[in-house]
Amino acid sequence: MYRKIIVAIAFGGIEKGEKILRKAASLLDDGGEIVALNVIEDVPTYVAIELPANMVEDAMQDSRDKLKALLTETGIAATVEIRNGPPAKAIISTAESYGADLIIVASHVPDFSNYFIGATADRVVRHAKCSVLVDRQKV
């Protein structure tokens, strides 16, 4: 069905990441590629001053290690990609740079706060140039 799938995984819900990785594997064409993506959000400058200089690099390495462990656990072959910045923007940028034809992202059932600030999944759906599969999760 799909040749290149971006699977956005947040470590706050690693079980969701495993579920959507398996979904991606089931939708992948023979010879296709899955890109397992985790985004490290930028730390505001006023906060970063108080933090160790290598905090972002350490967080990126930790994310890389966790994604590799998840892939080993599931037995799913995927390229690991770690980006930093606003999550929705990083997900869309990754999809464009890889020429993805599908993004899979987990999302909880929206609550009242999503109507004011918007969820990452909402932004990805609105702005992605490829298909987006939102895996709904119960809160």
Side-chain angles (χ1 to χ4, degrees), residues 11-12 51 78 119:
F11 289 118
L51 299 173

Side-chain angles (χ1 to χ4, degrees), residues 39-98:
V39 180
I40 307 296
E41 290 191 62
D42 287 331
V43 177
T45 307
Y46 64 89
V47 175
I49 292 171
E50 302 296 324
L51 299 173
N54 59 344
M55 190 192 86
V56 172
E57 292 81 12
D58 290 348
M60 291 179 85
Q61 185 58 51
D62 183 53
S63 291
R64 187 175 319 285
D65 294 343
K66 286 179 179 177
L67 274 181
K68 286 180 180 179
L70 179 61
L71 293 171
T72 299
E73 180 182 318
T74 61
I76 295 171
T79 300
V80 171
E81 181 78 24
I82 308 297
R83 301 248 176 140
N84 70 314
K89 187 175 182 177
I91 292 166
I92 293 166
S93 171
T94 301
E96 289 174 1
S97 68
Y98 276 91

Side-chain angles (χ1 to χ4, degrees), residues 19-36:
K19 181 181 178 192
I20 62 176
L21 265 174
R22 292 187 190 286
K23 175 70 75 176
S26 73
L27 295 172
L28 192 66
D29 282 342
D30 289 338
E33 178 184 12
I34 295 172
V35 177

Side-chain angles (χ1 to χ4, degrees), residues 13 15-16 19 106-110 134-139:
E15 67 286 342
K16 295 175 189 176
K19 181 181 178 192
S107 176
H108 57 82
V109 176
V134 178
D135 187 66
R136 253 321 154 203
Q137 303 289 319
K138 293 182 181 174
V139 179

